[in-house]
Amino acid sequence: MRHVGLIGTAALTLVLAMMVLSNLPALSGAHAALGAAAPFGSATMRAPNHPAPSHVQYASGTIRPERVSVSPNPNSVRPSDVCTNTPNWVSGSTNFFTDVDVCFSNLYGGSLNFPTVPLQGNLSQWALGFWVNISSNVKIFAANLCLWATSWPTTGLGPQPVAGYDPSQWNSADCKSMIVGTSSGQNPDTASYFVDCYKYFYPGTNLSFMIKVTSGVGQIYSYKTLNETESYSSGYTTYPTWTVYVQAPFASYNFTNDFRVTTTPSVLTHPSYPPNPTQNVQVTLSSFNESGGPPEPIPAAYAVYSVITPGKGGYSTAYSVSFGPSNDTVMTLNSPIQHQPAGTLVSFNITAFRYWDGASHIDQVTSQPFNFTFSSGGILPQPNAPLEVNAILSSTPSVFVPGVTSLPTGTSVNVSVHEPLENVTFTSAEVDFKFTDHGATTIGSIPMTAANANTSFAALPGLPSNTSLAFSVVVKDIAGDADSSGVYTFAETGSPVPALPSGQGFFFVEVYDVATNHLVAGANFTVENLTWFQDAQISPLGFGDLLTNAGTQPDYLSFGTYYLTVHAFGATVQRPITLSGTNPEFTITFYVASSPVTLKTSAPSPVLYTMGGLVGILAAGVTIIPIRRWFQERRAKAEAEQRRVTL
């Protein structure tokens, strides 16, 4: 005797091999859309793990699946080909399985090798259906397959009877006529019936059935041989010979057995971090496998949340947001829960489900409510302390150390700042710097990119040889209060690491304003040869080079001659440059003047040279000796270490 809620566990449990339908053609409708998530036949066999069937309570209505049948051709199956045992039905026999041979085949008639005495197990949620085939040694006048089924439980109601397959009618109206051999061109001692899971039995359905056969010898029932029973709390008993669970996308009706829910910031943990008034809340839904195996993809899910605003008499607004991406093991809200004033209460629950043709949402699993309240926090814990006290500074390679860090030429440095308190967020973050090249400097700031509300990063490009960069990190919290780190310095010199590729090199470009004694940021330049060109720009740090797509490492050029064109203060000047094995990496400096410059020399009287309107480009070959001598003195040290092209 078994007590049934869904379908119970048989005394002799034999696992049904799942239908292998990977060779089916592409389908339209629901399966065409869902097939990519779980190919036919890809699910793993497992024993039913739904709750113990003991107290089935039916609602007043029934689940009525409206599906389009796959319409199999009865002539496509030949039971005599797949039923291989030899039955012997004689008068007075009461053993169904000696009188009739039973076998099962897939949609196209191929054998499924199902166990048959009795059959119990799981069927893939993607299975379209299966044939039940019988044969005997006597003429079959009629055969009936009696089926009954209950669906995945409706929230708060438990399993529901499938319309047309009510367990209470298991031995009467729910018996379907099998196709006797004569009606399908087969031998008269065979009969078949296609169980159309695609049309009638959604994933999550528990299906039971038995067979009765009438012949010239008599009438026989499969259930009377095994005498297996299912007892329902409504007071009736059914007698299945076979039970099948069409697998649902979820292992359990209990949400906490199937999923894990996390939020950013963490509002469901201990300790929790209530969001500040400027902070959105993201919810993450992850699939969970209690048995320890790989998690199953989540077909679809949505969250419903209510926002209860303080000071408005408990006024509540409800929202519904879907999770994405579909058919994945980890999903997030497509739109996070939006930030609210301090004291606002938010309550949300989550429903996971599968879209299904003709029934919208099936196999729903709903969570309990989750609650949190927006806080009035969000500022740095110690606003008057250095940033190192309030946040975590890190870099690759490491430069947050005392003294000057020495790095190879052209090494980019990735800098990040992270606030470990999840509900303390940055409104902005930047790197303030001073770049120095033999006395020439650039002072400025680089905005950092927000990875999330409390983490930002910036990529500092690799430096020319024998230059240095001093910098600090500055952040602002939601109150607008700024906090700055100490000053850190790194210098770059020597050969690049890793070594330059064979036959390739690179160069840096600087534009030096003699009127201000600073390097010029933002100037445009072009590098080209007879077949190729690339435009670039001087970085905010005051130098430029051709960069890779990542934007932080130099882009190497093959040895050869190129033309370098610089645009500064309205003027354009071009000069040839050569990369070679003896000179694979160097810096080129263009000297310009943004305003008139007064030059003092040893000549009898001072000479005033006014550089043209916006640009004064001083040529190395100019014949005015005092100007030449002035430039030689200013750049003597730089000329000793770097190759400079002066205009």
Side-chain angles (χ1 to χ4, degrees), residues 568-585:
F569 302 120
T572 299
V573 178
Q574 184 183 77
R575 282 294 182 269
I577 59 172
T578 300
L579 288 168
S580 66
T582 58
N583 203 19
E585 181 271 315

Side-chain angles (χ1 to χ4, degrees), residues 586-636:
F586 51 82
T587 300
I588 303 172
T589 300
F590 290 81
Y591 294 89
V592 301
S594 59
S595 61
V597 178
T598 300
L599 302 180
K600 294 183 179 181
T601 74
S602 58
S605 60
V607 180
L608 177 63
Y609 294 91
T610 303
M611 309 300 172
L614 294 175
V615 176
I617 301 182
L618 305 179
V622 70
T623 59
I624 301 175
I625 302 302
I627 296 178
R628 182 181 180 87
R629 185 175 303 153
W630 181 82
F631 275 111
Q632 288 175 337
E633 293 173 356
R634 175 174 289 274
R635 300 299 294 179

Side-chain angles (χ1 to χ4, degrees), residues 28 54 91-92 118 149 157 165 171 186 198 203 209 286 306 309 350 357 399 453 477 482 495 518 586 597 623 643:
S28 61
S54 57
S91 178
L157 297 177
Y165 299 91
N171 196 23
Q186 307 294 321
Y198 184 85
F209 57 95
S286 304
S306 298
T309 306
I350 299 172
D357 181 23
V399 296
D477 61 20
S495 300
H518 288 299
F586 51 82
V597 178
T623 59
R643 178 174 177 239

Side-chain angles (χ1 to χ4, degrees), residues 73-86:
N73 182 356
N75 294 316
S76 66
V77 63
R78 295 182 61 83
S80 59
D81 291 343
V82 293
C83 293
T84 57
N85 295 328
T86 302

